[in-house]
Amino acid sequence: AFERKEVKPIDLEVLRGFKSDIAALLYPKIDHHLATHASVEMRLDGLVEKLGLTGKQLGQKSYRLRKFVDPVGELTGKPTSSGGKLYVEIQPTADGHDWKLIAKREV
């Protein structure tokens, strides 16, 4: 990935500034995706699994939402490695069975 120039530098000061571990885990993932795409959408149930989060309550839709609300607030407004700032929000999925995180880079 490094030789193909797919590795993006992460601003470690931004990463260190997060209070939430979830925000610190999400930031590099979102930043990398937004370097080549206009936006990214991720279901919270999938994020729980991908981030390796554990806990019986994370299986509950409302609990997942509560765990991600504060990290989303922390992420919004942070700079991206490709320029611009993050805009992150949570919306219900089309099927209504979960929530999805939507991230965009605002220039």
Side-chain angles (χ1 to χ4, degrees):
F2 184 77
E3 290 173 356
R4 292 187 307 265
K5 297 182 181 178
E6 293 176 359
V7 176
K8 293 285 183 190
I10 295 290
D11 186 338
L12 294 177
E13 290 302 316
V14 172
L15 202 55
R16 279 184 235 156
F18 291 120
K19 296 174 189 163
S20 161
D21 290 340
I22 293 175
L25 290 170
L26 283 173
Y27 179 74
K29 183 173 188 60
I30 292 170
D31 184 68
H32 178 75
H33 192 82
L34 292 180
T36 55
H37 298 85
S39 66
V40 61
E41 293 184 11
M42 299 175 268
R43 288 177 63 110
L44 295 190
D45 56 359
L47 276 174
V48 165
E49 187 176 318
K50 287 178 185 172
L51 296 176
L53 304 176
T54 58
K56 290 181 183 180
Q57 290 183 316
L58 286 168
Q60 300 170 8
K61 175 183 164 182
S62 61
Y63 185 78
R64 273 195 303 277
L65 176 63
R66 286 194 306 272
K67 292 303 282 185
F68 279 86
V69 167
D70 288 342
V72 163
E74 283 189 75
L75 289 165
T76 297
K78 296 296 186 219
T80 66
S81 61
S82 53
K85 295 192 182 287
L86 282 176
Y87 173 75
V88 186
E89 64 180 338
I90 297 176
Q91 293 182 357
T93 58
D95 63 12
H97 292 129
D98 199 20
W99 299 94
K100 63 182 175 181
L101 180 144
I102 302 169
K104 299 175 184 175
R105 181 171 37 98
E106 295 182 339
V107 183

